[in-house]
Structures are given as structure tokens and as C-alpha cells.
Amino acid sequence: MPQERSHRTPLTLVTGLDRTISARIAHTLATPGTAVVSHDLRDVERGRVTRTVHRIDTDGHDEFSLDDIDLEHGCVSCTLRLDLLPLLRTLHRETQVSRIVVVLDPVVEPENVALEVNQTVVHVPGLPPAPAGDDVCLSHTVCGVDAARWLADATGDLTLAEAGLSAAEDERTLAQVAVGQVRFADTVIVERADSAAGAWELARLHAVLVRLAPAAGMRTLNSRQPLDAALMARALASGTAESPHGRPRRPFDPLLSGRPDLTADCGVELMTIEATRPFHPERLHVALDALLDGVVTAQGRLWIAANPNDVLWLDSAGGALGIRRVGTWLATDPAAAADPQQSATAAFYWDDVHGDRHTSIVVLCHRAAPDEIRAAFDAALVTDDELAAGPRALANLPSPFGTDHRDPCDDLETTDRSATVDQTEGENR
């Protein structure tokens, strides 16, 4: 029988769009007692994945294994559920393993891995069914950033397939993955700083990163500075308790966690959009275009007149934007159970007429003018006359929003509001 432990094994994720940078980061973490795991997903659509496991025992001896894994259904989720998660449970029981490092393929978003680790029940021969999170503790995520390319990738509209990183049916964009990787990081390693197009461009990149991951530790290196174990140790120690540390974001968490800088720097600025009246759905659809150019990312809660009971979550990165339902306002059912953060948010926004319904969005601009974005969203709010028509009239306004919406879109057709509701907190595609 595998050995049982009374404590969970620490798990570190290494993420980023650049495979070489991720490999260098992993090399610095390969200390005695560590198992370093990676999956190469470049051939996953054919049902084949290459897995590498590098074990360094407590005496510093190395052991490598390289295996081709055949999957019945070739996809990222299958790789996680059928191979990585069971492997984590097995490595936890190896006496020579005191830490696990997982190097994620560039197409994998670390927040989704965290969800899988904590929620997906794994079946391993000889063990009771349980999530891998019962055996491992995701304590740290390190993200590697290429100073020469990252900002262009994070603000464009290329899909992963167009960039040659994923299968044709994967509609996610480079921007969505790049932003998600940095946002979930506890430590950011910026490499190739001397490859950036000048000091101002490097400063602009830093201004974006420190606002996207304000609680993370950060180190910036040029091509002549080696990334070694000592530097990595200092980088890991420079983060704060407010960074994610493996905790996925929930819709009612503070949108400005980590105390980011709200002043402008190199044209980069965080702005907030707050409203205590609903949006007119068609005018909002037009206003969303303001977030598709010159904006790194936007996230937040939406109150739309045609969806009066639904908490809608907006999430944009570069030229891609999605809106999905993530729950209901407490005003629709005050007796319903809610997590403490939702209750605290409801108390802050509570209104005698509309309850806790509100809009709260944070926008990270790098070229767009915040005043123009704010004006576009202000113009999309329902007017006093529309409010006076009453809740029934507002709920019957024609709407392009159902339970799931993505921009850019091809038309403005009314969607079926009886469609199946996705209440998960996973990725939006």
C-alpha cells in the first residue's frame, strides 16, 4: 500500500506563454526532495501527450522518466483529470518527495488547474476516491514573462490556434491566457528586459504587471543576468499574503485586492465603473466596444435591466470579452444562503428599492482614455424615464444577453433567456 502522510505536499505551479522561460524557472526550483512534472500538449489533439517527471531525492540524485501518454479524448481537461491529478496523489506518497513543481504547458491557465486540484475527485488504484487537493497544497504560482512579447500578446486578439499553440477548436485568445497567468501569479519573473523596445516600453510593461498582479513578488532580468536558485528564493519571498496562493477568484471578491496603484503611469491606468441603476441591454452591447481596444483587461459584476435577478460577470482580455451568469442577487431571495463575501458586498450596496443589485467593474487601460470608457458606460444606463416605466417594462427590453455572451459578435439577435445557465467559476470561452 502507498505510504500515507499526515500533511499535504506543497505544490508549486510554473506558468507562462514562453516554454523556455518556464523551463528555466523550473530548473531553479529543482532542489533535493522535489519532483518536477511537465506535460507537453502540442500533440494533444491527436490524443497523445508527452509527460516528463524529474525526481531529485533528498541526497540530490536525479531520476528522469519520459512517457508518451495516449488519451481516449485528446484535450487539456483529459490530461489533467486522467494523468496529472492521479500523479499528484501518487507523488505525495513517495517518501523522497517533499515538494512538487508542475510546469504548465503555455495553453493551460493556472486558475483552472487550481479548481481541478481542489474539486475533481480522482480515482487511483489502492486509494479511496478523493480530490488531489486532499494530498497536495497549491501554495505558489510562478509566472514567466517575456518582456519583448508579453504586452502585445496580452492586448491582441489572436486565438491560441492562430498562434499555433492549440487545436483549431480552442477559441481562447493569447490575451485571455496571458492575462489569466499573470493575474493568478504569486511571483512574476520578467526575462529578456533588454529585448524590450526601449526603456519606456519596459516601464509601461511594468506598470501593467504591477496593476494586474499587485500583491505578487516580481524580478526583472536582462539576457546577461542568470536566473539561479538564490534569486528565485528571494523572488518567492518577496510576495505578499494577498496574492492568490492557489485560491481561485470568486465573483464577489474585492475587485481591487492587493491594493494596486490607481495613479496613471506610462499611459497605464486602473479605473472603476460603479452604478446603482441597471444598464439598458442594447446600449450596453454598444458600450462594450470601448473595452475591446486599448484595454488590457476588465472584470466585474453587471446589473442588466433585462436580467434583473442575475449576477452577470464581465471578463475581458485584449480583443476578447465574455459575459456569463454567476449567481443571483440576494434581493431576489434574501433567505437564500450566500457566501460571507457576497453578504458583505450586499450590505455595502444595499438599496431599499433595488436591494444589492449594482454594477462594479475594474478596467486596466494601456492606450484607451478612461474618461471615454466611463462616458460610454454612463450613456448605457437606463434613463429616469425608462426606470419610471417599471420593472416589468425593463425586464422585457430586447436584449443580446442571455446567460452567456461573447464579444466581438456578428449580430444583435435576442437570445433565449431560458437557456441552460452555467454557474461554474471556470474559464469562459
Side-chain angles (χ1 to χ4, degrees), residues 25 75 78 87 143 176 178 247 264 281 288 308 322:
I25 291 171
C75 66
C78 290
L87 180 60
C143 181
Q176 288 173 299
R247 180 182 179 273
L288 293 176

Side-chain angles (χ1 to χ4, degrees), residues 258-277:
R259 291 169 287 183
D261 190 343
L262 298 181
T263 60
D265 184 12
C266 297
V268 176
E269 186 174 352
L270 269 176
M271 62 168 291
T272 59
I273 298 171
E274 301 281 347
T276 53
R277 65 170 62 195

Side-chain angles (χ1 to χ4, degrees), residues 147 188-191 193 202 206 218-222 225 231:
V188 178
I189 304 295
V190 182
E191 288 210 12
L202 182 60
H206 280 145
M218 189 176 300
R219 289 293 184 274
T220 301
L221 308 173
N222 61 41
Q225 293 174 291
L231 188 151

Side-chain angles (χ1 to χ4, degrees), residues 31 46 71 150 186 254 306 327 374 405:
T31 54
R46 295 184 179 89
L71 301 173
W150 187 87
D186 305 295
R374 184 169 284 108
H405 180 81

Side-chain angles (χ1 to χ4, degrees), residues 240-251:
T240 72
E242 293 181 81
S243 65
H245 292 290
R247 180 182 179 273
R249 168 171 282 193
R250 296 176 297 174

Side-chain angles (χ1 to χ4, degrees), residues 13-26 29 103-106 110 141-151 153 177-192 205 209 217-221 227 232:
L13 300 182
V14 178
T15 187
L17 293 179
D18 190 288
R19 295 178 188 275
T20 302
I21 294 176
S22 292
R24 280 200 288 268
I25 291 171
L29 298 172
V103 185
L104 300 177
D105 189 271
T141 300
V142 184
C143 181
V145 167
D146 181 351
R149 292 191 49 84
W150 187 87
L151 190 55
D153 289 338
V177 176
V179 167
Q181 289 170 342
V182 171
R183 180 180 274 134
F184 198 67
D186 305 295
T187 301
V188 178
I189 304 295
V190 182
E191 288 210 12
R192 303 169 186 161
L205 170 64
L209 294 175
M218 189 176 300
R219 289 293 184 274
T220 301
L221 308 173
L227 178 61
M232 178 58 68

Side-chain angles (χ1 to χ4, degrees), residues 84-415:
L84 175 60
L85 299 182
L87 180 60
L88 294 179
R89 298 199 67 197
T90 300
L91 289 173
H92 164 72
R93 288 164 173 80
E94 294 189 9
T95 58
Q96 291 288 326
V97 175
S98 58
R99 179 177 67 169
I100 303 170
V101 174
V102 173
V103 185
L104 300 177
D105 189 271
V107 304
V108 178
E109 297 172 71
E111 186 168 12
N112 295 331
V113 175
L115 287 166
E116 295 277 6
V117 166
N118 292 324
Q119 297 180 2
T120 301
V121 175
V122 179
H123 297 269
V124 178
L127 298 177
D134 284 7
D135 296 323
V136 300
C137 174
L138 176 48
S139 58
H140 216 97
T141 300
V142 184
C143 181
V145 167
D146 181 351
R149 292 191 49 84
W150 187 87
L151 190 55
D153 289 338
T155 55
D157 56 9
L158 277 181
T159 66
L160 293 176
E162 291 169 340
L165 293 179
S166 190
E169 63 268 17
D170 193 338
E171 298 179 355
R172 292 175 300 155
T173 63
L174 272 177
Q176 288 173 299
V177 176
V179 167
Q181 289 170 342
V182 171
R183 180 180 274 134
F184 198 67
D186 305 295
T187 301
V188 178
I189 304 295
V190 182
E191 288 210 12
R192 303 169 186 161
D194 48 343
S195 298
W200 190 87
E201 288 293 338
L202 182 60
R204 186 168 71 135
L205 170 64
H206 280 145
V208 169
L209 294 175
V210 299
R211 287 162 177 78
L212 186 57
M218 189 176 300
R219 289 293 184 274
T220 301
L221 308 173
N222 61 41
S223 56
R224 297 181 181 179
Q225 293 174 291
L227 178 61
D228 56 26
L231 188 151
M232 178 58 68
R234 292 193 297 271
L236 294 177
S238 66
T240 72
E242 293 181 81
S243 65
H245 292 290
R247 180 182 179 273
R249 168 171 282 193
R250 296 176 297 174
F252 286 93
D253 285 348
L255 297 176
L256 290 172
S257 60
R259 291 169 287 183
D261 190 343
L262 298 181
T263 60
D265 184 12
C266 297
V268 176
E269 186 174 352
L270 269 176
M271 62 168 291
T272 59
I273 298 171
E274 301 281 347
T276 53
R277 65 170 62 195
F279 285 109
H280 186 288
E282 291 179 321
R283 293 201 297 270
L284 174 63
H285 189 267
V286 174
L288 293 176
D289 286 347
L291 300 180
L292 298 179
D293 187 24
V295 169
V296 180
T297 183
Q299 277 194 335
R301 300 175 291 272
L302 287 175
W303 173 21
I304 299 178
N307 304 71
N309 299 330
D310 298 333
V311 181
L312 298 177
W313 180 256
L314 179 149
D315 194 351
S316 81
L321 182 149
I323 294 174
R324 59 191 174 91
R325 181 183 184 274
V326 292
T328 57
W329 301 110
L330 292 190
T332 65
D333 184 8
D339 68 75
Q341 190 59 55
Q342 183 175 4
S343 297
T345 303
F348 179 81
Y349 285 100
W350 195 266
D351 172 85
D352 289 343
V353 176
H354 303 298
D356 58 327
R357 297 179 179 90
H358 70 279
T359 287
S360 184
I361 307 170
V362 172
V363 183
L364 178 56
C365 307
H366 76 296
R367 285 189 293 102
D371 289 345
E372 293 179 5
I373 294 174
R374 184 169 284 108
F377 276 81
D378 285 347
L381 294 169
V382 298
T383 64
D384 289 342
D385 288 343
E386 288 166 338
L387 272 178
R392 185 185 298 274
L394 291 175
N396 287 326
L397 287 171
S399 174
F401 305 102
T403 58
D404 196 348
H405 180 81
R406 288 183 292 121
D407 267 328
C409 61
D410 296 327
D411 52 36
L412 191 62
E413 295 180 357
T414 301
T415 54

Side-chain angles (χ1 to χ4, degrees), residues 52-72:
T52 304
V53 181
H54 176 199
R55 293 173 174 84
I56 310 97
D57 67 22
T58 52
D59 294 324
H61 299 131
D62 293 282
E63 178 187 340
F64 285 91
S65 64
L66 183 67
D67 299 287
D68 283 336
I69 303 163
D70 291 319
L71 301 173
E72 183 176 350

